[in-house]
Amino acid sequence: MCGGASIFRPMVSGRVLCISAGMLAPKKADNPVGRSHLYLNFGLLGLASVLASDGFDPVVVHGGFVTPEDFIRDLVERVTLSEEPLILLSIPSSFSLPWARRGVEALRRLVPAARIVVGGRWVVADDEPWIRSRLPDVDVFARGVAEGYIVDIARGDSLGRRTRRRVPSIPELDYRLLEGMECFNPSLEVSRGCGMGCAFCAEAREPLGGMKPPRRLVAEMARLIEVYGTASIRPYLEASLFRPTSAWVGELGEALEASGVHLPWRTETRVDTMPPDLIPGLARAGLRILDLGLESGSPAQLRRMRKTTRPDVYLRRASSLLEACRREGVWVKVNILVHPGETLDTVAQTRAWLEEHRSAIKGVSVGPTILFRYGRASAALLAEFESHGASVVDRFALDRDGFAHLHPSRSISHDAAVELSNEISRSMMSARDYYDLKSFGYLPRQSSWDDFRQIVVGCPGGNFSFRLEGLG
Ligand code: B12
C-alpha cells in the first residue's frame, strides 16, 4: 500500500534512519487529492546512497501527511534501534517545519539518546541561530549540499573537523534504500545549480553545473528498470535548470538506442534557455512532459521578477518553444506566479497570453509568490517586494514559520490572489489534464485515473484547481 503502511526490513543495530519531514497539510488546498501527493526527497535519498556505498545501512522514510507523533511512534515500534541511533532528518521546505518540530519532540521523548542531525539547505540556509530557535532539541544542523561530509557525520566526526570526501557531486540514487519504493515514481538528477538571478529563488546565485553524461544517465535508467522490475516507471529528470546542448541530446539518443532503454520522462526548464530545435530530439529520447517556469505574460511583471530585461524577446521565445512542444506531442505545464506589483491589468495580460497558447498547454500551476525565509537574504528580498507595492499578510510569519504570504499590491490582496490563481488554473486545466500531469512524479505510481476520479467525486466542495468535467 502507498502512503503509510510498512514494508520495513527489520532494523539492525547501527542502521541510519533517514526521515524526510512530512507536512501537516498540503501547501495549496487541503483536500484528499492534495493529501495523496508523494513528495520524493531525492536529496536525502542521495545522502543515504552515499552512506550505503560507504558500508552503512541507511533506510529512507517519508512522513507524508501522517501526523508526526503517529509516524514517529509507529517507526520506533516497528524498528530495532541501536542504543544511540543516528537519525538524519531532512526538511525539504518551510512547509515541513511544523511537522519537523513535532517530529523532533516525539523522537526526543521516545528515543532520548538519539543523535539527531537536521539538514535541508532551503530551510537551514546560513542562519543556524534561527533554525535552532525553531528546533531546539536537535544536536547538529547541516548546511548546504552534504554528499561531501555525510560519512563524517555518520562516523560521529564533528562538523568542524570534517574532511571533504571525494564523492561524485551527483550520487547515483539507490532506490532499494527507499521505504515504499514501489509507490514513488523515481527521480534522476541530471544537473545542479541555476544562477539565473530570479528575485524569488534561493538558487539565484548557485552557478549551473555540468550535465550528467548521457551514457551514465542511461545506465542509471537501466538500473532503475532492473530495481523496479518493470519499465512502467516515469522518471522525473531533476535539474533546477535543464539546459542540454545539441551534442548532449544527440549522445542521449545514441546511448538510449545502444542500450534498448526507452522510458517516458518529465523535466523542468526555463522558457528562454531551451532552444526549440532541441525538442524533436528530446521527444525521441522520451521527453513527455516539460514544466516551464514562464511565471507571467506581463512584460512589467517579468521585469519585476528579474526574469528578463527583454520581455518581448522572452515571450517570443516562449511561444516558439510551446509551438515546438505542441508539434512533437510533448505536454507542457506552465508555472505562473501572481507576483508583487501585480494588478488586474497585468493578470489580464497573463491570461490573454495563456489563452493565445491554449492549444500548446496541457496544464498550469498558478499561485501567489511566497516570501521564503532564506537566511540573511530575506530582508533585501522583502524590501524589493515592498518597493513593488506588496506587503506581508502577517509580519511575524517570516521568523515564526520560515515563510510569509503576501498581498501582491494595494489592488490585489492575498485572498484575491489565491482566488485569481484558482480561476486561471480552472480555466486552463480539466481534471483529466491534472491527473495526466500529476501521474508523472507526484501521485502514487499505481494510482489510476479511476482511483483519482473516485477521490475527486467523493469530495464535493474540494476546492480543486481544475475543472470538474469528464468525471463520469
Ligand atoms: C526538486 C524540488 C522538489 C522535489 C524534490 C525535493 C527534494 N528535496 O528532493 C519535490 C517535487 C518533492 C518538491 C516538493 C516541494 N517543494 Co520543492 N523544490 C525542488 C527544487 C526545484 C530543487 C530542490 C533541490 O535542490 N534538490 C536537489 C537536492 C540534491 O538538494 P536538496 O534536496 O536540498 O538536498 C541536499 C541538501 O539540502 C542537504 N540535505 C537535505 N536534507 C538533509 C538532511 C541532513 C541530515 C543533512 C546532513 C543534509 C541534508 O543535502 C542534500 C544533498 O546534498 C527547489 C529549488 C528550486 N530551484 O526551485 C524547490 C524548493 C526546494 N521547493 C519548494 C517548495 C515550497 C516545495 C513544495 C511545498 C511544493 C511547491 N513546489 O511549492 C513541496 C514541499 C515538500 C515538503 N515535504 O516539504 C521551495 C522551498 C522554499 C522553502 N524555503 O520552503 C523551493 C526552494 C522552490 C521555491 N519555491 O523557491 N520540491
Side-chain angles (χ1 to χ4, degrees):
M1 201 190 95
C2 296
S6 164
I7 57 143
F8 229 78
R9 288 175 281 157
M11 193 85 159
V12 293
S13 174
R15 212 160 187 202
V16 181
L17 195 48
C18 307
I19 305 174
S20 180
M23 288 193 269
L24 301 180
K27 176 181 167 234
K28 290 187 178 169
D30 188 1
N31 57 44
V33 170
R35 283 182 179 261
S36 66
H37 281 54
L38 293 177
Y39 288 122
L40 170 67
N41 190 331
F42 64 86
L44 183 63
L45 183 57
L47 298 182
S49 307
V50 172
L51 288 176
S53 62
D54 213 80
F56 289 89
D57 189 12
V59 61
V60 178
V61 295
H62 283 74
F65 293 101
V66 181
T67 310
E69 291 77 12
D70 293 347
F71 183 83
I72 300 296
R73 194 179 324 107
D74 175 60
L75 205 55
V76 171
E77 272 169 16
R78 66 195 162 89
V79 299
T80 312
L81 290 167
S82 63
E83 265 174 36
E84 291 180 13
L86 172 63
I87 299 181
L88 302 181
L89 176 65
S90 176
I91 310 183
S93 83
S94 309
F95 293 96
S96 281
L97 198 50
W99 193 103
R101 190 181 172 104
R102 283 168 49 183
V104 169
E105 283 166 11
L107 280 169
R108 271 288 165 252
R109 244 188 344 267
L110 298 170
V111 199
R115 195 160 68 96
I116 305 175
V117 182
V118 161
R121 60 185 162 147
W122 303 95
V123 182
V124 172
D126 59 356
D127 196 352
E128 186 169 330
W130 175 75
I131 187 70
R132 192 169 283 289
S133 76
R134 309 324 295 147
L135 302 169
D137 283 337
V138 165
D139 295 299
V140 178
F141 291 96
R143 273 203 204 176
V145 292
E147 285 82 2
Y149 63 84
I150 195 65
V151 170
D152 297 325
I153 288 188
R155 296 222 165 108
D157 295 355
S158 90
L159 277 185
R161 284 190 292 115
R162 75 186 179 224
T163 48
R164 292 251 151 211
R165 276 163 204 282
R166 290 181 11 107
V167 289
S169 56
I170 305 183
E172 178 169 354
L173 301 173
D174 185 347
Y175 278 85
R176 293 168 304 180
L177 308 173
L178 172 64
E179 187 188 38
M181 170 201 102
E182 70 286 356
C183 300
F184 289 87
N185 257 310
S187 290
L188 289 168
E189 251 194 298
V190 287
S191 71
R192 286 195 180 170
C194 174
M196 296 296 283
C198 293
F200 48 82
C201 182
E203 239 182 353
R205 272 168 286 279
E206 292 269 333
L208 177 64
M211 288 188 77
K212 190 174 273 181
R215 229 174 286 251
R216 196 179 142 202
L217 182 61
V218 173
E220 289 185 16
M221 285 180 172
R223 273 192 290 276
L224 269 186
I225 294 174
E226 204 182 300
V227 167
Y228 272 82
T230 169
S232 75
I233 43 176
R234 287 162 288 184
Y236 202 116
L237 299 198
E238 300 279 359
S240 291
L241 179 59
F242 182 81
R243 192 159 69 172
T245 59
S246 58
W248 190 90
V249 177
E251 280 172 40
L252 179 62
E254 285 163 21
L256 286 167
E257 204 173 304
S259 66
V261 168
H262 199 76
L263 290 176
W265 48 271
R266 173 174 184 167
T267 195
E268 169 173 39
T269 194
R270 287 175 59 112
V271 295
D272 54 347
T273 52
M274 169 69 83
D277 60 3
L278 293 188
I279 295 297
L282 288 170
R284 277 195 301 278
L287 172 64
R288 189 76 186 93
I289 302 182
L290 191 57
D291 290 297
L292 286 179
L294 177 79
E295 316 305 355
S296 178
S298 150
Q301 286 306 97
L302 288 167
R303 281 207 188 87
R304 287 194 180 104
M305 291 172 185
R306 286 199 259 130
K307 218 37 209 181
T308 175
T309 50
R310 296 166 68 200
D312 48 337
V313 177
Y314 176 93
L315 289 171
R316 267 205 308 279
R317 282 189 176 174
S319 298
S320 323
L321 182 56
L322 257 66
E323 178 49 26
C325 289
R326 197 190 57 75
R327 268 199 312 267
E328 297 300 325
V330 172
W331 287 338
V332 170
K333 193 206 75 187
V334 174
N335 297 328
I336 298 288
L337 284 171
V338 180
H339 192 69
E342 205 80 54
T343 62
L344 290 177
D345 286 343
T346 59
V347 171
Q349 282 176 315
T350 297
R351 294 190 78 154
W353 198 94
L354 292 172
E355 197 52 57
E356 203 183 310
H357 296 83
R358 179 181 282 280
S359 65
I361 296 175
K362 174 76 171 164
V364 290
S365 172
V366 192
T369 296
I370 294 170
L371 176 62
F372 290 110
R373 195 178 191 292
Y374 190 72
R376 290 178 268 263
S378 339
L381 191 52
L382 176 57
E384 182 177 326
F385 286 176
E386 284 172 342
S387 76
H388 300 318
S391 55
V392 289
V393 173
D394 169 353
R395 70 194 173 93
F396 300 112
L398 199 58
D399 280 344
R400 187 190 55 223
D401 307 331
F403 68 94
H405 290 301
L406 300 163
H407 300 299
S409 64
R410 288 224 177 79
S411 53
I412 302 185
S413 68
H414 177 255
D415 285 352
V418 170
E419 204 32 58
L420 281 167
S421 302
N422 278 334
E423 265 175 37
I424 300 174
S425 223
R426 287 180 198 130
S427 75
M428 295 299 299
M429 191 166 51
S430 68
R432 183 70 209 208
D433 294 330
Y434 180 94
Y435 168 80
D436 286 343
L437 291 170
K438 289 285 185 178
S439 61
F440 249 89
Y442 294 90
L443 296 175
R445 254 183 75 233
Q446 300 87 342
S447 161
S448 66
W449 162 242
D450 214 44
D451 297 334
F452 176 80
R453 210 176 50 80
Q454 279 176 24
I455 295 180
V456 176
V457 171
C459 183
N463 193 21
F464 298 111
S465 56
F466 45 80
R467 283 192 308 282
L468 297 173
E469 63 180 33
L471 292 161

